[in-house]
Amino acid sequence: PARGKTEAAVAPFLAQFVSGEVLLPRIIYATPTQTLLYSMVRRFEGYLEALSQACGSFAAWREKLSPVAEHGLDVDPQYLVPRFTVSTYDVVAYAWTARRTIPWRPFTTRGALISSLVVFDEAHLVQDSYTYSQRVFVKLVETMARPGIPIVIMSATLPNKFVEELE
């Protein structure tokens, strides 16, 4: 079984708050489904709790880093601004392409993305019989990478064609 991908992506983000040298103030962890999103929120809450207990210097960050779920049906969306957002692929794609400003502050969802580590987990689930979804995903990643957004794409297995397109 695949193990450690999630930790490999999230641990460096959390470590910067322990060290006090914060270079990327937020992480947007995207999953292809809402079910996975809520599972990851619970998992990340456990990581933060364990880290708070193990490292006194991290305790001050615990509440500020509490993961916020955002999936597009939110009554009061946070627009990917929290320091730790767990979202769905479609919310990230829309945030990147919409160029929307946030009503209560002079900030954009694109600004939140640019100042984040963006993780796309379970990328192998982006598929359809015509490979349309894969092509759209590749274009999304390509346009987000141009301004230098650090992006991590994770999957236990990816089809060769998908890897070739991403390369």
Side-chain angles (χ1 to χ4, degrees):
R3 292 199 171 127
K5 293 185 310 295
T6 301
E7 293 76 11
V10 175
F13 171 74
L14 295 175
Q16 64 181 348
F17 294 96
V18 173
S19 72
E21 296 180 39
V22 179
L23 300 175
L24 278 169
R26 60 184 48 83
I27 186 170
I28 298 169
Y29 194 96
T31 68
T33 68
Q34 287 184 29
T35 302
L36 283 170
L37 177 152
Y38 285 109
S39 173
M40 296 312 290
V41 167
R42 287 188 300 276
R43 187 171 174 182
F44 295 143
E45 282 288 354
Y47 292 168
L48 294 174
E49 191 57 37
L51 194 52
S52 294
Q53 292 176 9
C55 182
S57 65
F58 183 78
W61 288 102
R62 171 64 181 92
E63 192 170 319
K64 293 175 186 172
L65 289 170
S66 188
V68 174
E70 194 157 339
H71 51 71
L73 299 174
D74 309 290
V75 174
D76 185 22
Q78 297 297 305
Y79 300 97
L80 306 178
V81 172
R83 290 191 182 271
F84 202 143
T85 299
V86 185
S87 190
T88 52
Y89 281 27
D90 60 321
V91 168
V92 173
Y94 183 76
W96 182 246
T97 59
R99 298 183 183 161
R100 171 178 285 156
T101 56
I102 297 171
W104 39 267
R105 64 191 296 179
F107 201 64
T108 64
T109 52
R110 199 173 257 200
L113 283 159
I114 287 172
S115 61
S116 299
L117 167 63
V118 178
V119 178
F120 291 102
D121 196 1
E122 304 295 348
H124 63 281
L125 295 177
V126 178
Q127 58 183 309
D128 59 59
S129 58
Y130 302 104
T131 67
Y132 176 75
S133 298
Q134 292 97 320
R135 289 194 301 267
V136 169
F137 179 69
V138 167
K139 288 297 181 191
L140 172 67
V141 170
E142 183 182 308
T143 62
M144 289 176 69
R146 273 191 209 127
I149 296 172
I151 299 170
V152 175
I153 301 169
M154 300 189 311
S155 177
T157 56
L158 282 174
N160 289 339
K161 178 86 172 137
F162 197 25
V163 173
E164 290 168 15
E165 289 283 326
L166 283 170
E167 287 174 344

